[in-house]
Amino acid sequence: MITSKIIANGILRAIGLLVLVVVCMYFLYLIQSIVIYLIVALILTLIGNPILDFFKKRLKFKHTLATIATLFIFVLFITGFVLMFIPLISSQGENLSLLKTAEIEKNITELLNQTSVFLESHHIDSEKVIKEANITSKINFNFIPDFLNIVLGTISSFGIGLASVLFITFFFLKDSLLFIEGAKKLIPDSQEDKILNSVHKINHLLSRYFIGLLLQLFIVFLLYLIVLLIFGIPNMFIIAFLCAVLNIVPYIGPLIASVLAAILTMLSNLGSDFQTEILPTTIYVLIGFWIVQIIDNNLSQPLIFSKSVSSHPLEIFLVILIAGFLSGILGMVIAVPLYTILKVIGKEFFPENAVIKLLTKNI
């Protein structure tokens, strides 16, 4: 018989659980930087595991030495990026006078005026609309120094974050077996084999996925760079790199990359004739970027991702599309890794389910 005391105890337990969840969420919010460090370190660990295995199995390194060698490769890679891009970013900043808001406003106004003249030559009365709208006066260019201060602050804290991530990654790589042994003590014996098999498969597939993602971004970066090199766009390395990074966001990222490339191309050619130089060059660059995106979307991306996580290209496309509708851009970014984890768990715990059998036949 259900008494008022039982009901009261149930309500109190529910309230206590809810309060505990809220407190945990708030605590995670307070330490969000540390959570990000842990996530990045975990991704680096997944990428580094094949490298670690290579050093141990092929070069016969001891485990600790192999871990140090793997971390050293990460440091060399990051250092190379910094040495390559910092001078270019500095040069871009000087060329576009990023610290002078008046100069930026003048450049944007000049570009708008040239656009207006071009449209007028094609019998489109846009100059009157632009002047009446008074676009430049409505844009507050003073946000740029504040934005740069934020960027500089981020860069200054980057060193601390990088050191923390590398430190955590070192122990993730070095003591992974200790973590597994510790987890075994918390796992019920009846479920131990299934859970450990799931962890092993997830680790393997996600390692392949993140390596595949790096390969895909590198291919896109090279193709973008070739397009910009063909048309002689200044600061081509920075533009190609930024646009390649945007490809992390499936389908939407490349569209944003095209807009960014068009804007930077026009700004890089300020002072030239709009109709004969700026507009044609921008159009050619956009066409080149679209060709790169067609190659990436139809060849490199489906091939790399489907092979890395053992899923059909159409399956990957539908998963990303559904995740985008449900959770926006963040959902699209995490769709493939999360779907891979769910597939592995489904195969281990529900192997007889017909749908799971069909989806996981290649795992």
Side-chain angles (χ1 to χ4, degrees):
M1 181 179 178
I2 300 175
T3 64
S4 58
K5 185 177 180 180
I6 295 175
I7 295 174
N9 287 336
I11 293 173
L12 287 175
R13 280 197 297 269
I15 293 173
L17 181 61
L18 181 61
V19 170
L20 181 62
V21 170
V22 171
V23 170
C24 289
M25 293 295 290
Y26 181 67
F27 178 71
L28 290 175
Y29 172 76
L30 292 177
I31 62 167
Q32 56 184 301
S33 296
I34 298 175
V35 174
I36 292 172
Y37 293 163
L38 289 170
I39 293 173
V40 174
L42 180 60
I43 292 172
L44 288 179
T45 302
L46 292 171
I47 295 172
N49 277 327
I51 304 173
L52 182 72
D53 291 339
F54 173 80
F55 281 125
K56 289 172 63 177
K57 294 178 181 178
R58 298 295 179 89
L59 302 182
K60 306 301 180 183
F61 281 17
K62 297 293 184 181
H63 184 72
T64 302
L65 183 59
T67 303
I68 294 172
T70 302
L71 213 63
F72 183 67
I73 288 178
F74 285 148
V75 171
L76 283 180
F77 186 76
I78 294 168
T79 303
F81 255 16
V82 170
L83 292 177
M84 180 171 65
F85 284 105
I86 281 186
L88 291 171
I89 292 171
S90 176
S91 172
Q92 179 81 342
E94 292 174 2
N95 290 339
L96 296 179
S97 302
L98 290 180
L99 295 177
K100 299 176 183 178
T101 57
E103 186 70 20
I104 293 178
E105 186 169 1
K106 178 182 175 183
N107 289 341
I108 298 294
T109 303
E110 180 184 346
L111 184 60
L112 288 173
N113 288 336
Q114 290 189 33
T115 305
S116 176
V117 170
F118 170 74
L119 294 175
E120 286 289 340
S121 67
H122 289 76
H123 309 293
I124 300 174
D125 190 12
S126 63
E127 185 174 350
K128 181 179 178 182
V129 175
I130 292 175
K131 287 183 177 179
E132 287 181 353
N134 204 8
I135 294 173
T136 55
S137 66
K138 293 181 179 179
I139 301 175
N140 182 14
F141 290 92
N142 292 323
F143 79 93
I144 293 174
D146 296 333
F147 173 75
L148 288 175
N149 287 333
I150 294 173
V151 171
L152 292 174
T154 302
I155 292 173
S156 65
S157 62
F158 176 76
I160 298 174
L162 179 61
S164 302
V165 166
L166 291 177
F167 184 79
I168 297 169
T169 303
F170 173 78
F171 286 103
F172 276 180
L173 289 169
K174 178 178 176 293
D175 297 328
S176 57
L177 293 178
L178 290 178
F179 295 145
I180 292 174
E181 289 300 321
K184 282 183 179 180
K185 297 177 181 180
L186 302 175
I187 298 172
D189 292 338
S190 60
Q191 302 294 326
E192 182 176 314
D193 289 339
K194 291 181 179 180
I195 292 175
L196 292 179
N197 285 337
S198 298
V199 170
H200 175 73
K201 288 180 181 178
I202 289 169
N203 178 67
H204 175 66
L205 290 174
L206 290 187
S207 294
R208 292 173 57 182
Y209 169 75
F210 286 114
I211 291 173
L213 180 62
L214 290 178
L215 177 61
Q216 184 241 349
L217 295 182
F218 181 70
I219 292 172
V220 171
F221 168 73
L222 286 181
L223 293 175
Y224 282 159
L225 188 61
I226 291 171
V227 171
L228 297 171
L229 182 63
I230 290 172
F231 299 106
I233 306 302
N235 306 297
M236 61 190 74
F237 283 94
I238 293 177
I239 298 174
F241 175 72
L242 292 176
C243 293
V245 169
L246 285 169
N247 269 53
I248 291 176
V249 183
Y251 307 113
I252 293 177
L255 295 177
I256 300 173
S258 296
V259 175
L260 178 63
I263 293 172
L264 292 177
T265 298
M266 288 190 289
L267 289 176
S268 298
N269 287 285
L270 278 177
S272 304
D273 183 72
F274 183 81
Q275 183 167 350
T276 60
E277 293 188 36
I278 295 179
L279 183 60
T281 302
T282 303
I283 292 174
Y284 294 148
V285 168
L286 282 175
I287 292 173
F289 270 50
W290 291 335
I291 292 173
V292 171
Q293 288 160 20
I294 290 172
I295 295 172
D296 180 55
N297 290 334
N298 294 281
L299 293 176
S300 60
Q301 189 179 104
L303 183 62
I304 292 171
F305 285 174
S306 62
K307 293 293 183 183
S308 63
V309 296
S310 302
S311 298
H312 193 277
L314 179 59
E315 190 180 344
I316 296 293
F317 172 79
L318 291 175
V319 166
I320 293 173
L321 195 63
I322 293 169
F325 277 114
L326 294 177
S327 303
I329 291 177
L330 179 62
M332 297 176 77
V333 172
I334 67 172
V336 177
L338 184 59
Y339 178 63
T340 302
I341 292 171
L342 293 176
K343 281 178 65 175
V344 170
I345 293 173
K347 185 177 179 66
E348 285 297 327
F349 288 89
F350 309 101
E352 301 304 320
N353 184 278
V355 176
I356 291 176
K357 271 186 177 180
L358 179 64
L359 293 176
T360 61
K361 61 182 179 180
N362 295 323
I363 296 179

